[in-house]
Amino acid sequence: MAKAQDPIPMPLQDDVREIFGDLFGRGCTVEKTKDRIPFGPDQEEIVLGDFILDDGSVGAVVSADLAMAAYAGAALVMMPVGIAEEALSAGRIDGDMFDCFREVVNVMGRLLNRESTPHLRLRAIYRSGDILPGQTRTMLRQADRRKDFDVAIEEYGTGKLAIMVKGTAA
């Protein structure tokens, strides 16, 4: 009989801070917030990634407002903060900054995987206006477990991040 697996872990605030500090090589503060990133056709730009289980179902979604995506993408490769601010003014991230944020989300997968839990891998990154797979849309609207954070990246700025995970806590 196969051993039962633990549920997908919900990352702790300190773990999120630590992974960002290590990834960006600079100070980061991560604070829990009750303010949720709005999702819908008339909302500001968001960027999100979905993580799938081995069976192809969505196990987790990481969502960021435009500020978080721009600052994190820029900080990853030490782009000048002005380039991130240009993206904020334009209302969209593209090109290298978008690709860099994809890598930030990919690295966040380490927070969602443990030896005793189902394996998750990043499937895709989406922007507002992209057609989302049904399970991803459902997770955004009614995740089993969710945490929202305000993330400040030293010398860059502050944005919002949400982590949504399938399943119940142990």
Side-chain angles (χ1 to χ4, degrees), residues 106-117:
N106 189 44
V107 169
M108 289 184 68
R110 287 191 276 172
L111 298 171
L112 301 167
N113 283 301
R114 301 281 187 278
E115 191 172 306
S116 63
T117 64

Side-chain angles (χ1 to χ4, degrees), residues 7-130:
I8 298 164
M10 175 55 80
L12 301 173
Q13 178 179 341
D14 286 344
D15 295 335
V16 175
R17 181 195 43 75
E18 185 176 310
I19 203 166
F20 284 157
D22 291 347
L23 189 60
F24 304 138
R26 63 186 67 245
C28 294
T29 59
V30 176
E31 300 294 333
K32 290 181 189 173
T33 182
K34 292 183 189 229
D35 295 334
R36 291 187 166 206
I37 300 168
F39 172 73
D42 299 327
Q43 302 301 321
E44 292 182 12
E45 176 86 356
I46 65 166
V47 182
L48 61 98
D50 61 357
F51 290 83
I52 58 171
L53 297 159
D54 290 337
D55 67 5
S57 65
V58 174
V61 172
V62 171
S63 174
D65 69 0
L66 181 60
M68 178 65 197
Y71 291 136
L76 180 66
V77 294
M78 296 184 286
M79 286 180 198
V81 69
I83 295 174
E85 290 168 349
E86 287 174 15
L88 292 174
S89 293
R92 185 171 176 89
I93 66 168
D94 290 302
D96 290 341
M97 191 178 303
F98 182 76
D99 292 340
C100 289
F101 185 68
R102 182 190 195 292
E103 185 55 28
V104 170
V105 174
N106 189 44
V107 169
M108 289 184 68
R110 287 191 276 172
L111 298 171
L112 301 167
N113 283 301
R114 301 281 187 278
E115 191 172 306
S116 63
T117 64
H119 178 258
L120 287 168
R121 66 179 169 80
L122 180 62
R123 172 173 55 186
I125 296 286
Y126 309 92
R127 293 182 182 103
S128 298
D130 289 348

